[in-house]
Amino acid sequence: MLLPAPPWAERAQVEHDALTGALRAHGVEVLYLTELLQDALEYATGRQQAIATAISDPRLGEELRGRLKDYLEGLRPEELGQVLIMGLARDEFSGGSGAVFGLLGAWDYVVDPLPNLVFMRDTCVWIGDRVAVTNPPGRRREAELVAIATGYHPMFAGAKRLYEPDYEELAGGDVLLLAPGVVAIGIGAHTSPAGMERLARQVFDSAFAHTVLAVLADPNSAECLDTRCTMVGADTVLMRPSVAYSLVARTITQRGDGLRLSHPRPFLEAAAQAMGLDRLRVIETGLGPGRAGPARPGSLGGPAGQWDDAGNILALGPGTVVSYERNTLTNERLEAIGIKVIQVPGGELVGSRGGPRSVCCPVSREPAQMPEPGAKRLPTVSVPGPRRASTEAECAA
């Protein structure tokens, strides 16, 4: 479970409303996955696929699976969507029967809830006008619901797929669109080399990229690449100091039907070259009051995961970002160089495990533009709208 503890639901809702309100105030059209899924469940094929996903749990047993199937088929789309996301406990299921059902405790789940669905970016990323429904470890049901919402909702009619949930392990949070034609994919705890290779081939074959950077992460770290690096301008990145100058990448280009892999190089150097820049400007995150967090299992204490940084912010456009209020030092550093920081409350919505960027999935945005030679860095601009976003939105560069 990504969340360190069950959130305080009422406070999380307040924080979510504040975030979506801030986005709308800056020209972003906000879409909710719950509503997209409910609309998709109006279609018989999408509904059948969703029910098949829910009853595929091998722990159910034959009799309980049949009872559950009958129950789900009798629900309206809104009710079915709620069960698929919020789960169904034993005592909430009056139609249950059989040995497996009888052995369940009162609040054991027949259909498990999906609290980590709040981390929307992990299971979905759009590249150009195509969607990659990704497959992070242990998140298959979430990915399948996202696949149903994007596959059957009329809004996405005709949208082609770059990736499917039954492919190799790949997390959307490990995919960064650095510039037009340049995609970075992190390899680590959430994304396998095979997943990176498949997506690289897809973006090459679709002509969405001329260069892919395979970014090599510590396999023992739970962080995705979007926690380590956020684009805040066409030539500027926000990164944690301990990562900025130690992260390594290998450049991948297409050669005929195969892929050409370079020798390892510093990430910042490889990224700048691929983007056609002399160098990338680095803004270092600060260590704010949220730096202390729960210890990793077996450790003696101290910060774990990403609790010591504010790298997971949401860029609405060059020079405009959304960040949590608690990221005090990082917010000050960004504002000092002319970046507009839209501050929103954060704490319960994602615990200590992410930021505004991790709970978003950009669906449509204006094409990014590279800076002209000699152009002034980091212009502060308003965001022309509206843009569409599944839960939130970004314009990375």
Side-chain angles (χ1 to χ4, degrees), residues 4-53:
W8 177 7
E10 291 80 5
R11 178 61 60 83
Q13 184 66 61
V14 169
E15 293 173 359
H16 189 271
D17 291 345
L19 174 60
T20 56
L23 293 172
R24 291 191 182 95
H26 288 80
V28 178
E29 180 182 355
V30 178
L31 308 176
Y32 293 96
L33 177 62
T34 51
E35 295 176 359
L36 295 176
L37 179 62
Q38 289 169 7
D39 291 344
L41 294 175
E42 296 278 359
Y43 297 86
T45 308
R47 182 182 182 86
Q48 292 167 6
Q49 185 174 330
I51 292 173
T53 295

Side-chain angles (χ1 to χ4, degrees), residues 159-245:
K160 296 182 178 179
R161 293 283 182 84
L162 289 171
Y163 213 85
E164 300 286 353
D166 57 353
Y167 291 167
E168 297 86 356
E169 289 184 347
L170 173 72
D174 275 323
V175 181
L176 295 185
L177 311 183
L178 296 178
V182 183
V183 178
I185 306 174
I187 298 174
H190 306 282
T191 296
S192 67
M196 178 281 301
E197 181 187 53
R198 184 187 290 269
L199 183 60
R201 289 184 181 278
Q202 293 283 68
V203 296
F204 285 139
D205 292 345
S206 303
F208 285 119
H210 56 73
T211 305
V212 171
L213 299 181
V215 185
L216 311 178
D218 178 358
N220 297 317
S221 172
E223 294 176 308
C224 284
L225 182 58
D226 68 353
T227 294
R228 301 168 183 270
C229 178
T230 295
M231 295 293 299
V232 294
D235 59 352
T236 306
V237 293
L238 176 69
M239 299 184 74
R240 187 166 72 250
S242 62
V243 170
Y245 307 101

